[in-house]
Structure formats: C-alpha cells, structure tokens
Amino acid sequence: MVPGGSRVADRLKPTELTNALLLSSGGTSNVLKRLAGAGLVSREADDGDGRSSWVRLTRRGVEVAEDSVRAVTAAHARIVARIPEAEAELLNRMLRDVLAAVEEGVLVRR
C-alpha cells in the first residue's frame, strides 16, 4: 500500500526500494541492473528530478512476482501444517509481537 493511499504503488524510486528491502544503495543498484537485464523491471527518468528515476515491474516481472508469492505461500503452508495447533497459536502471537516491534522501529533489544 502507498502510505496514506489505498492502492499498491505501480512504481517506486530506487531509494524507496533500498529502504523497503534493507539493502545498501549499491546493492539495490546491482539488483535493479540484473532485473532490468532480465526484462523484469523497467527504469524511467523522473521528469521532476533529473538525478532520479522510477522503477516499475514489466508485465513479465509481475508474472514472476506473482509466481514467487504463490510458491512462497505454498511453502509456508507446508511448514505451518506440520506445527501442532497450540504451538502455531503461540508462534502467531510471538510473531505479531515481533512485527509490532519492527513497525515501531525497535529492531534490537538493549
């Protein structure tokens, strides 16, 4: 979701990707070059800022992303199916606490 918005962004700035993926700017640049070379993303200049660009998934990139999400979801379902119900509920509560801490910016307990 776009902050303050109601739909998924159809394009992002490389710096937004860097922050979302917790990569370095150089790491993001390398990944984007490889994805563009594979035809999975396109880059377009930002008309409002000549130093910046926008990154957008290509049609093929969307297909690969959707296939990846389905594969990961299926793998997670197989893992969770092996966990007894009581332990799954405990794990769910614990993961919610971790997610809340991450969203609050608390990454490391001191």
Side-chain angles (χ1 to χ4, degrees):
M1 297 295 241
V2 176
S6 61
R7 65 181 188 84
V8 174
D10 63 349
R11 64 184 188 170
L12 293 171
K13 299 274 188 170
T15 53
E16 293 170 319
L17 289 169
T18 295
N19 294 334
L21 299 173
L22 303 176
L23 293 174
S24 67
S25 60
T28 300
S29 180
N30 289 335
V31 169
L32 290 175
K33 285 177 189 173
R34 290 187 8 227
L35 291 172
L40 301 175
V41 299
S42 64
R43 297 184 78 164
E44 53 194 60
D46 180 351
D47 293 336
D49 182 354
R51 300 166 297 158
S52 187
S53 64
W54 291 101
V55 177
R56 180 188 316 255
L57 287 172
T58 62
R59 184 182 312 269
R60 178 71 184 130
V62 170
E63 291 170 359
V64 169
E66 289 173 346
D67 290 347
S68 299
V69 168
R70 282 191 286 275
V72 168
T73 300
H76 289 168
R78 288 190 303 273
I79 291 168
V80 171
R82 299 182 62 166
I83 301 172
E85 184 73 24
E87 291 177 20
E89 288 175 11
L90 174 61
L91 180 59
N92 189 35
R93 285 193 306 274
M94 294 169 68
L95 289 173
R96 266 195 215 135
D97 290 344
V98 169
L99 181 58
V102 169
E103 288 175 347
E104 293 170 9
V106 180
L107 299 177
V108 178
R109 186 180 288 184
R110 295 183 191 262

